[in-house]
Amino acid sequence: MLRLDALDVYDGEIHALKGVSLEVHRGEIVALLGNNGAGKTTTLRTISGLLAPRRGAIHLEDQAIAGMPAHEVVGLGIAHVPEGRRIFNRLTVRENLMMGAFLRKDAEVAGDLERVFTLFPRLQERITQVAGTLSGGEQQMLAIGRALMARPRLLLLDEPSMGLAPVLVEQIFETVADINRQGTTILLVEQNAAMALSIAGRGYVLETGAVVLSGTAATLGDDAEVRRAYLGE
């Protein structure tokens, strides 16, 4: 579904991605692991059109999308849940969710809203509440729900567990796995490597902007260097 070929990306003067290549197949959850500054967020921002690569290519199925404006990328079926959630603090929960469907003209928006409420019942309870007053966990649910309202084929998730209590982390990851089972392909950036590998089928490890390791989740989980660097063993 998604293929990155030899991407070189600069963020200002910083050479943030150095020849990054990876693939995400339809129906997969693929984890992107690495320490802070490794280039994980830059990878997602480049896929979603917020950054343009200096060299290399990005293909969604057979369509080249590198450098395409972000709203056009959304229209092709890629939705991005950014690090830090980036919800609209002054809008209500419902208004935030409807912003996710801004580009849609079809008649199934109401049905997708109900799907979000089935995944995240707390959001239905808070539907008229101003989003900035939600808890951290509720804001993360809202950010994911807003992305789902675009009805993406591919969901980019950047650090969904950041700042959440352990019980909420488990809940979020269970929901992410459920979203995948319902047919959405997922590229997941996550510092909690153990949780990411528990739901992913494959993964890539980034270090200083380059892919240094890739394989199945089981293979990465058994790798001594991965266990030392990312699993605390």
Side-chain angles (χ1 to χ4, degrees):
M1 173 177 276
L2 179 74
R3 187 174 74 253
L4 278 56
D5 292 319
L7 283 189
D8 277 312
V9 178
Y10 286 76
D11 193 353
E13 297 299 316
I14 299 171
H15 194 177
L17 298 184
K18 305 166 186 173
V20 168
S21 297
L22 61 82
E23 292 183 344
V24 181
H25 303 146
R26 185 182 302 278
E28 284 191 306
I29 299 178
V30 174
L32 195 56
L33 308 178
N35 292 321
N36 287 334
K40 306 185 302 298
T41 292
T42 299
T43 300
L44 297 194
R45 286 170 58 83
T46 304
I47 295 167
S48 62
L50 298 173
L51 293 171
R54 191 169 296 184
R55 285 177 292 274
I58 306 172
H59 285 87
L60 179 67
E61 296 174 333
D62 294 327
Q63 184 165 0
I65 65 170
M68 184 177 289
H71 68 280
E72 294 184 15
V73 174
V74 174
L76 292 175
I78 298 178
H80 185 175
V81 181
E83 181 181 11
R85 298 147 195 162
R86 302 295 182 90
I87 61 169
F88 300 103
N89 285 321
R90 297 185 180 182
L91 300 184
T92 66
V93 167
R94 180 183 177 84
E95 289 167 340
N96 268 271
L97 292 173
M98 295 309 294
M99 286 297 291
F102 183 78
L103 293 179
R104 294 179 57 182
K105 308 297 183 185
D106 60 273
E108 299 180 16
V109 172
D112 285 340
L113 188 63
E114 289 305 312
R115 177 196 176 203
V116 169
F117 290 151
T118 299
L119 288 166
F120 300 112
R122 186 70 60 84
L123 294 182
Q124 187 165 26
E125 297 171 8
R126 304 281 194 268
I127 188 168
T128 61
Q129 188 168 328
V130 174
T133 65
L134 298 174
S135 70
E138 291 165 346
Q139 289 185 9
Q140 187 62 64
M141 295 172 193
L142 180 57
I144 296 172
R146 180 181 59 188
L148 292 177
M149 288 300 295
R151 187 172 276 195
R153 293 182 288 155
L154 173 64
L155 184 63
L156 309 178
L157 280 174
D158 196 350
E159 303 286 6
S161 76
M162 181 179 288
L164 302 185
V167 64
L168 286 176
V169 171
E170 291 189 13
Q171 180 182 345
I172 289 292
F173 273 88
E174 287 172 3
T175 304
V176 170
D178 194 17
I179 291 167
N180 176 249
R181 284 190 292 269
Q182 293 178 18
T184 303
T185 305
I186 295 172
L187 179 57
L188 170 66
V189 164
E190 179 54 54
Q191 287 277 40
N192 188 333
M195 288 298 295
L197 294 175
S198 75
I199 65 169
R202 294 189 303 113
Y204 295 84
V205 178
L206 282 178
E207 287 184 6
T208 59
V211 175
V212 296
L213 195 63
S214 64
T216 66
T219 298
L220 293 177
D222 288 339
D223 185 274
E225 184 63 23
V226 171
R227 297 182 74 84
R228 182 195 64 77
Y230 305 112
L231 301 178
E233 298 182 9

